[in-house]
Amino acid sequence: HLLEPFSVHIDFESGLLSPDPVVLVRRLSSLAGYFLQNADTDSEVYSVHEIRVPAERDHLLSSTTIVLPGKVGDEYYMTKGHFHANRDRSEIYLTLSGEGLLVMALENGTTVTKEMRPGVVNYVPGHWAHRSVNTGSEPLVFYAVYIGDAGYDYATIAERGFPVVVVDRDGGPSVVPNPRYLA
Ligand code: 6PG
Ligand code: NI
């Protein structure tokens, strides 16, 4: 697929792109069942701003994600999290602003958690489900680059959850076992 070269500007503070991203907004209503407690509002939790290229093996897809600060109960706002549909496809995250935790898990339950803060690159190898959690008081903004045909498997996480959850304990983030995880 032969494309014309192009450029996009990212505002590192806000994560907004120009020109013309594809924007997806996730509100609490579209995250029902993802948090341990039920939410009583329909606030926005995060948005994804994707640079348009064909979702094919010979392209690199990329996007910014803006996870707003907030909690449901004591659980910090986070993305749904997913495996890639093509499980072996890897991904790179570069945090632009804010702070958070990147939770990664294998199907067998092995879990690794890494800090996200401005300037940090997190490498997400294939086969690791990934979820970003905003543990700060400002938006968590990161830029992700992934192989064009990675695709999304949300169903596995929707059914089983992640092995751990990130909760506010005494004013700071704590990574604890998920009581609802289906091993
Ligand atoms: C991807 C990236 C990333 C992710 C967003 C939202 O594969 O596209 O991991 O862009 O999709 O941060 O997270 P969810 O896709 O889990 O909702
Ligand atoms: Ni991904």
Side-chain angles (χ1 to χ4, degrees):
H1 215 116
L2 182 64
L3 293 189
E4 279 293 303
F6 65 89
S7 304
V8 172
H9 179 264
I10 305 177
D11 182 278
F12 282 13
E13 196 58 34
S14 66
L16 296 178
L17 306 183
S18 59
D20 192 31
V22 181
V23 180
L24 173 75
V25 175
R26 296 275 191 212
R27 315 185 76 86
L28 284 167
S29 55
S30 55
L31 292 167
Y34 281 88
F35 292 95
L36 291 172
Q37 293 189 29
N38 291 322
D40 48 12
T41 67
D42 193 19
S43 307
E44 177 177 337
V45 179
Y46 64 97
S47 58
V48 181
H49 305 246
E50 188 179 305
I51 296 174
R52 274 174 217 273
V53 297
E56 295 167 2
R57 184 70 174 90
D58 55 350
H59 289 290
L60 292 171
L61 274 164
S62 69
S63 57
T64 56
T65 299
I66 303 163
V67 186
L68 297 177
K71 284 180 282 185
V72 178
D74 60 1
E75 208 176 349
Y76 295 100
Y77 277 6
M78 62 188 183
T79 59
K80 287 186 167 188
H82 58 270
F83 289 95
H84 289 149
N86 285 309
R87 282 287 201 282
D88 62 356
R89 300 298 194 258
S90 49
E91 174 155 13
I92 279 176
Y93 280 14
L94 167 62
T95 300
L96 305 179
S97 58
E99 57 185 296
L101 290 174
L102 176 56
V103 180
M104 292 165 283
L106 293 173
E107 293 242 32
N108 70 10
T110 303
T111 304
V112 173
T113 303
K114 294 286 183 188
E115 268 185 55
M116 301 177 78
R117 60 190 151 75
V120 170
V121 169
N122 296 111
Y123 190 72
V124 184
H127 302 282
W128 291 86
H130 39 289
R131 162 180 286 165
S132 357
V133 183
N134 185 348
T135 57
S137 51
E138 303 294 327
L140 169 65
V141 178
F142 62 92
Y143 178 62
V145 184
Y146 32 104
I147 298 168
D149 69 349
Y152 300 92
D153 166 12
Y154 288 107
T156 306
I157 295 299
E159 285 160 21
R160 300 180 61 194
F162 269 77
V164 298
V165 294
V166 184
V167 295
D168 179 344
R169 288 283 153 83
D170 306 317
S174 184
V175 180
V176 301
N178 176 4
R180 284 213 216 127
Y181 177 62
L182 296 181

